Amino acid sequence: MSKVKLFLTMISILIVVIPITVQVIIYRDNPVDLILPPTFAALLNGGTDDLSTVDVVDFAGMSFSLPFLSEEPVFFQNNTIKLIYTFTNPLDGKITITTMDAKMVCTDHKFKLGDTFIEPATLEPKQTINFNVYCILSTTAIEHIATHHQGQDSINTEFENFSVDLTDIKIIMPHRKLGSIQIPQTILKHQTLI
């Protein structure tokens, strides 16, 4: 009886150990993919995949929507652009959006327009909120728009080195497309002064 028990114990161990060993060997060069889905791992690690248009990430069977631009950008006279993002907390606990860092760039010329900052916000479980992201355009950005986008009424933009800190979760993407942002008349009039 003890031989049968020992034999069955060995088979049980092999049933568990062999598949795990095979997976570890397959993912030996990239152990993160062993645990996390590749898209989510790339978001966390700032991977080189083109994730600029990824809006929903599947993590452990749960859809996780990234913050998305929900309204037209607003341009203020102090050369500040306000972007309004919407985000839904997918978790059963609170999430605090502590920081969002990115450089806003002109998509056509890869010219840096300015750095972004946010107003931190806390979300209750399953709550959806709008939060504001601001970008202050530099003087060289204003000159770039007036010179290189003469006659246009909008400029294509994207974020470079986009990262969002959500409590203990950090999402990093090399690029995040923003789309077209309306160029205010004050900047278009600036081109005649140059």
Side-chain angles (χ1 to χ4, degrees):
M1 192 67 151
S2 67
K3 287 184 181 184
V4 172
K5 187 177 179 181
L6 178 64
F7 177 73
L8 291 175
T9 304
M10 291 300 290
I11 288 179
S12 297
I13 291 172
L14 290 175
I15 288 172
V16 172
V17 170
I18 289 175
I20 292 173
T21 304
V22 169
Q23 291 299 314
V24 168
I25 290 170
I26 290 171
Y27 288 100
R28 69 181 172 272
D29 294 331
N30 194 1
V32 172
D33 282 349
L34 178 64
I35 299 165
L36 297 176
T39 302
F40 196 76
L43 288 172
L44 292 175
N45 294 324
T48 57
D49 295 343
D50 182 12
L51 301 170
S52 61
T53 57
V54 170
D55 292 322
V56 178
V57 176
D58 183 33
F59 179 64
M62 176 181 64
S63 288
F64 188 88
S65 295
L66 297 176
F68 64 92
L69 194 59
S70 57
E71 296 182 27
E72 289 293 318
V74 178
F75 195 92
F76 298 107
Q77 288 185 349
N78 64 352
N79 297 332
T80 301
I81 298 173
K82 179 173 87 170
L83 305 164
I84 301 168
Y85 277 83
T86 299
F87 181 67
T88 301
N89 179 358
L91 305 177
D92 293 328
K94 284 184 183 180
I95 287 183
T96 301
I97 303 171
T98 53
T99 62
M100 178 179 160
D101 298 315
K103 291 178 179 30
M104 183 184 286
V105 298
C106 165
T107 303
D108 299 334
H109 303 104
K110 300 299 180 203
F111 187 87
K112 179 183 170 186
L113 301 173
D115 292 314
T116 62
F117 62 93
I118 67 163
E119 297 169 348
T122 299
L123 291 89
E124 296 297 325
K126 311 299 183 198
Q127 180 185 10
T128 300
I129 66 162
N130 289 338
F131 65 95
N132 299 326
V133 177
Y134 297 94
C135 178
I136 300 173
L137 299 179
S138 65
T139 304
T140 56
I142 301 296
E143 291 171 2
H144 168 81
I145 293 168
T147 304
H148 292 89
H149 298 276
Q150 185 175 23
Q152 297 176 328
D153 61 354
S154 63
I155 180 173
N156 290 320
T157 58
E158 65 184 44
F159 284 146
E160 264 187 10
N161 302 322
F162 175 86
S163 71
V164 179
D165 284 331
L166 308 171
T167 311
D168 294 327
I169 302 168
K170 185 166 189 163
I171 299 171
I172 301 171
M173 287 184 263
H175 295 283
R176 183 80 180 153
K177 293 190 185 328
L178 290 172
S180 181
I181 293 180
Q182 192 74 26
I183 299 173
Q185 291 298 314
T186 55
I187 292 179
L188 295 174
K189 290 177 185 173
H190 180 76
Q191 71 191 38
T192 58
L193 304 174
I194 298 177

